Amino acid sequence: MTEALYYTDQEITEFEAHVARIDTVESKFHVVLDKTAFYPEGGGQPADRGTIDGIAVEDVRKLDDIVHVLSRKPSGETVHGSVDWRHRWDYMQQHTAQHVISAALFAVGSIATVSVHLGEQYLTVETDSASISDETIENVVATVNRVIGENRPVRARWVDEAELASLDLRRPTKHTGLVRIVEIENFDRVGCGGVHAPSTGAVRIANCVGIEKIRGRVRTIWMAGDRAVDHYRLTAQITAALTELLSAKPPEIVGRVTATIDALKNAEYQVRGLTERLASAHARDLIERAEKTPTGTRVVAQELTDGKEYARSLAEAVAAESQTAACLVSRDEAGRVLWWIAASDDAGLDWTAVRRDLFPIIDAKGGGRPPVWQGVGEGDTTRFLRAFVELNQK
Ligand SMILES: [Zn+2]
């Protein structure tokens, strides 16, 4: 059995250990040591990171022994382990926060914790409740941060079954024999095999940033620890920038942005209507001046300087009139050719011939379905437009 140094002293980051065994599993080396400070994945808490003899520890798993997964094999009989303390401390904060949150949910609303997840950004606590009121969440957040502020000691100890029977745990433990108990002084007591901050003050701050329904139950989403402090600094910067940009006090920002979005949608709606009317008038003008084929189809071939949204509307407007065919070209900022080909149902445009004869002229790419095709290309548009007119004269 590997001696778990993180239970003796959870602040050990550097240690020497003897190699007990190395197994090769799918081109990885599973290194078992006589003792380790690397915490293995468990209880919703991810495995530690760090190095063994300078080789990155990719994973740590608790099987029969504690297994360190490495991509290279350490050569010595004794090795030096180094735990990434930033990573460890982050998750010690997250895990400790989770204890405080679960205890506060239970204390405030008799809400039990079903499962937890400590993610890279958030920690989540899935509860046994189908719904939790905003007021309860507010009380839980207040309780959590009060307990953090009180900086209560967090202690772990092993108890036997006799003592366990006399202890009032927040949730019953499934383990038998010696059981590890984690207590937040005068606030919470549960069975847990994880690593924790020495006191609740280390969590610094915790805030419920959202709730969601999962499997018919409420899952609460939290930001806690140094991450939450960093997040606060970021949101404060964003708020300051919005305050200046919108000339609004922070509580007015949401209302101001909502009004701006509504005004924008209204303007877009009006622009769309005006564009269609303009395109329709422009289309009639182009059709009037267009060349006629022997069968009476009016063929529009035009280079445009307008934006592509307008060109599409114009192509559609031409095709909406009977016996019409149009080829419109424009260029984007990069100088690429943008093209639209449109034809009314009764124009008899041979789409296969368009693809076969016209596309190679500008190395055209694109497609669509009648009445409008569109795409991009490159090169000489004059020849492309002339070829379109000639195709329709056939
Ligand atoms: Zn724990």
Side-chain angles (χ1 to χ4, degrees):
M1 277 282 279
T2 315
E3 185 194 345
L5 296 172
Y6 48 83
Y7 281 158
T8 329
D9 178 352
Q10 56 190 18
E11 292 188 11
I12 294 175
T13 57
E14 307 290 327
F15 65 98
E16 307 291 328
H18 286 282
V19 176
R21 200 176 74 242
I22 299 179
D23 299 323
T24 309
V25 182
E26 291 168 355
S27 78
K28 298 284 180 189
F29 299 99
H30 285 199
V31 180
V32 176
L33 306 173
D34 64 338
K35 55 183 179 287
T36 186
F38 281 93
Y39 178 74
E41 188 183 350
Q45 191 167 350
D48 278 343
R49 292 182 194 157
T51 57
I52 289 175
D53 275 1
I55 305 161
V57 174
E58 296 175 4
D59 199 8
V60 190
R61 297 175 201 152
K62 182 139 178 47
L63 306 171
D64 289 335
D65 286 301
I66 296 167
V67 171
H68 309 77
V69 180
L70 276 61
S71 58
R72 279 196 294 124
K73 195 174 178 174
S75 52
E77 282 175 20
T78 61
V79 291
H80 180 85
S82 180
V83 174
D84 178 345
W85 180 250
R86 262 180 75 99
H87 183 261
R88 160 71 81 75
W89 179 245
D90 180 21
Y91 283 99
M92 280 166 72
Q93 285 183 318
Q94 301 303 310
H95 185 72
T96 307
Q98 180 264 309
H99 275 256
V100 179
I101 291 162
S102 289
L105 281 163
F106 196 72
V108 171
S110 298
I111 298 162
T113 294
V114 174
S115 74
V116 301
H117 176 71
L118 309 183
E120 285 182 10
Q121 196 173 4
Y122 304 106
L123 76 90
T124 61
V125 176
E126 184 186 341
T127 72
D128 67 345
S129 293
S131 71
I132 304 177
S133 71
D134 291 349
E135 191 189 352
T136 301
I137 292 289
E138 272 184 35
N139 288 336
V140 171
V141 171
T143 303
V144 165
N145 287 284
R146 175 174 58 75
V147 171
I148 292 169
E150 287 164 353
N151 198 24
R152 295 177 185 231
V154 179
R155 296 189 191 96
R157 64 195 172 96
W158 295 89
V159 300
D160 59 21
E161 282 181 36
E163 188 183 352
L164 185 67
S166 71
L167 293 176
D168 186 22
L169 299 186
R170 171 163 51 78
R171 58 187 253 171
T173 172
K174 289 167 275 184
H175 297 282
T176 52
L178 276 180
V179 173
R180 191 164 178 266
I181 297 295
V182 172
E183 292 166 317
I184 299 173
E185 194 173 272
N186 296 326
F187 186 61
D188 191 41
R189 183 185 292 132
V190 282
C192 182
V195 279
H196 311 82
S199 60
T200 58
V203 177
R204 305 184 74 185
I205 184 174
N207 191 27
C208 182
V209 295
I211 61 171
E212 60 189 7
K213 269 288 187 71
I214 178 166
R215 297 181 277 271
R217 297 187 288 246
V218 172
R219 178 156 71 182
T220 58
I221 306 162
W222 297 77
M223 284 207 91
D226 292 345
R227 295 175 187 185
V229 176
D230 291 344
H231 183 71
Y232 167 74
R233 291 185 54 180
L234 175 69
T235 51
Q237 283 169 8
I238 293 169
T239 306
L242 287 173
T243 300
E244 196 170 319
L245 206 60
L246 298 166
S247 303
K249 296 190 178 87
E252 298 163 358
I253 287 173
V254 173
R256 197 66 68 85
V257 170
T258 306
T260 306
I261 290 171
D262 286 347
L264 190 62
K265 275 186 190 157
N266 193 24
E268 279 171 356
Y269 178 75
Q270 287 193 42
V271 166
R272 215 175 304 134
L274 289 170
T275 304
E276 277 168 22
R277 281 169 63 184
L278 182 65
S280 188
H282 190 177
R284 278 197 301 276
D285 181 49
L286 289 174
I287 291 166
E288 253 173 47
R289 294 189 284 113
E291 277 187 50
K292 261 190 181 177
T293 68
T295 56
T297 296
R298 281 82 45 91
V299 184
V300 173
Q302 187 76 28
E303 177 117 31
L304 301 171
T305 51
D306 310 280
K308 56 185 176 184
E309 285 80 16
Y310 178 72
R312 169 93 198 182
S313 297
L314 184 59
E316 284 170 358
V318 171
E321 303 288 326
S322 67
Q323 283 206 293
T324 53
C327 181
L328 307 174
V329 293
S330 176
R331 287 193 189 268
D332 66 9
E333 297 85 356
R336 280 188 318 171
V337 174
L338 308 174
W339 60 265
W340 295 262
I341 290 177
S344 61
D345 288 346
D346 53 6
L349 179 64
D350 184 350
W351 293 98
T352 311
V354 167
R355 184 179 277 280
R356 186 191 60 220
D357 300 340
L358 266 60
F359 272 33
I361 300 173
I362 55 164
D363 194 17
K365 291 179 181 60
R369 59 173 61 171
V372 181
W373 282 24
Q374 70 180 71
V376 295
E378 56 189 48
D380 180 14
T381 53
T382 314
R383 204 153 75 77
F384 184 62
L385 290 170
R386 199 171 59 235
F388 182 74
V389 174
E390 284 164 5
L391 178 75
N392 280 279
Q393 294 290 0
K394 277 179 192 165

